[in-house]
Amino acid sequence: MTSTTLPARTRAAGPGRLGPVLRGLAGLAGLAALLQVLPLTGLVSADYLPTTTSILGAFTQLLGDPGFWTALGDTLTGWALGLAIAVAAGVVLGIVIGSVPVLRAATASTIEFLRPIPSVALIPVAVLLYGTDLRSTLLLVVYAAFWQVLVQVLAGVHDVDPVADDTAHSYRLGRWGRVRYVLWPTALPYVMTGVRLAAAVALVLAITAELIIGTPGLGKQIAVAQNSGAVPEVYALVLVTGLLGVAINLAARAVERRTLFWHQSVRGKEAP
């Protein structure tokens, strides 16, 4: 019976997993068809909304342009460096602040005051400090992504089971032992959620900084294409940023599943 039951479960799980993918592809196909038809009907001027074929043609030309790949590398560099700094700072400070009740109480109001400040409000400060250098992009990316990680780590530290913590004290584990065996396993799912959120926010801020400040990257290329009237290229570059965001999100989810393979939330999703 086992040999006949397991394949049936596998076959039943296959279409269920493909369902969201197929629906997503159908939605993209519908959007592409709508963009193709609208300019041809005259409802929207082709000067402002090119057809899908024009956008794909500009996208193909971008793939053969060395300057595009340089800009993509600049964007990914700012994104990766800013995200790495934000994650490292958020995890370390989150564990330190969350582990010391007095320190957490003393910093709570400061965190709640600084966290809602939009990163784009710091653009004038970034320009004054670093001009159109990569450091301007890093300042905005780190500030925006840092709070995503810090808040999640603080929540994870707060969620530690008091019984597990008391047991660690009973076994006379030192501070590092309690962090390694009690605090970190509890906080890790929160950390991964913060990293996934920070990865998306970091990309948004990297492209925003390039678009407004003029630091090298895809955002700057979008601004240049807009100023030169290359409308299909603008949409093609926007398409690239969308694909980049999807790729980053999928990669972050894959890392999260791989890291939390032991956690009940991931095991529950992977169960047939």
Side-chain angles (χ1 to χ4, degrees):
M1 291 184 62
T2 304
S3 60
T4 58
T5 303
L6 288 178
R9 293 177 66 185
T10 303
R11 287 195 299 270
R17 293 174 180 175
L18 290 177
V21 176
L22 294 177
R23 287 194 295 269
L25 293 176
L28 290 177
L31 177 61
L34 180 64
L35 291 177
Q36 180 68 26
V37 171
L38 278 179
L40 299 178
T41 60
L43 295 176
V44 180
S45 174
D47 295 334
Y48 304 106
L49 181 63
T51 61
T52 301
T53 52
S54 299
I55 297 173
L56 292 179
F59 176 75
T60 303
Q61 292 179 354
L62 284 176
L63 297 180
D65 181 12
F68 163 75
W69 295 105
T70 301
L72 178 61
D74 291 333
T75 297
L76 290 176
T77 299
W79 167 80
L81 287 177
L83 180 63
I85 296 172
V87 169
V91 169
V92 172
L93 290 178
I95 291 177
V96 172
I97 294 174
S99 301
V100 183
V102 175
L103 188 58
R104 179 163 186 166
T107 58
S109 58
T110 303
I111 292 174
E112 292 303 318
F113 172 75
L114 294 175
R115 185 167 61 90
I117 297 177
S119 295
V120 292
L122 299 178
I123 288 179
V125 178
V127 173
L128 287 175
L129 291 176
Y130 305 116
T132 58
D133 192 76
L134 174 63
R135 291 174 293 180
S136 295
T137 299
L138 290 179
L139 176 62
L140 301 180
V141 170
V142 170
Y143 186 86
F146 168 76
W147 301 112
Q148 306 294 327
V149 179
L150 178 66
V151 171
Q152 290 294 326
V153 174
L154 289 175
V157 174
H158 183 70
D159 197 39
V160 171
D161 188 355
V163 175
D165 196 30
D166 291 340
T167 303
H169 278 286
S170 300
Y171 281 96
R172 297 182 178 179
L173 289 180
R175 181 175 297 274
W176 171 246
R178 293 199 300 272
V179 170
R180 180 179 179 182
Y181 296 109
V182 179
L183 189 152
W184 183 247
T186 302
L188 186 56
Y190 293 86
V191 173
M192 297 309 301
T193 299
V195 171
R196 177 161 49 84
L197 295 174
V201 170
L203 178 64
V204 172
L205 266 298
I207 295 176
T208 301
E210 295 162 358
L211 183 63
I212 298 177
I213 299 176
T215 54
L218 293 176
K220 184 177 181 179
Q221 278 209 331
I222 293 175
V224 171
Q226 179 189 13
N227 293 332
S228 61
V231 179
E233 184 177 346
V234 171
Y235 282 89
L237 288 168
V238 172
L239 174 63
V240 171
T241 61
L243 293 175
L244 189 58
V246 172
I248 287 175
N249 184 59
L250 291 177
R253 289 185 178 275
V255 172
E256 184 179 20
R257 288 194 299 268
R258 180 66 64 87
T259 304
L260 300 178
F261 67 94
W262 50 271
H263 196 262
Q264 59 183 359
S265 61
V266 174
R267 287 185 298 172
K269 291 179 182 178
E270 294 181 350

